[in-house]
Amino acid sequence: MEKIVKISDEEAKEICKLGKLSECCAFLVCGGDGFECIRMSYPNNGIIFDRLEKGTMNAKGRGGWKE
């Protein structure tokens, strides 16, 4: 089931750590209407999980950070 969450520019910076290199969430994507979270979007999230396991992404964050 595809579930995409729209994210504002500020949320992308504060929540998803946009611009923080490897700390940035790997599930943050830029869509046609701005930023989106695809962490809960199957099957797209499977591609990201696979790439995280293989270490082939610059962004290494998986979301769910604790402050």
Side-chain angles (χ1 to χ4, degrees):
M1 173 173 40
E2 187 172 310
K3 183 171 186 154
I4 297 174
V5 177
K6 301 285 184 186
I7 297 176
S8 72
D9 293 355
E10 282 303 309
E11 289 171 323
K13 291 176 189 171
E14 292 182 26
I15 297 170
C16 305
K17 301 184 181 182
L18 177 65
K20 300 284 186 184
L21 305 173
S22 65
E23 292 180 34
C24 183
C25 184
F27 298 96
L28 175 67
V29 298
C30 189
D33 294 335
F35 293 106
E36 300 172 344
C37 174
I38 63 165
R39 192 170 201 292
M40 302 305 288
S41 177
Y42 179 82
N44 296 329
N45 61 354
I47 296 165
I48 301 297
F49 279 118
D50 185 55
R51 289 191 63 199
L52 283 169
E53 290 299 316
K54 291 178 181 174
T56 61
M57 296 188 71
N58 291 330
K60 307 282 189 234
R62 295 174 179 251
W65 292 278
K66 294 183 180 177
E67 298 297 322

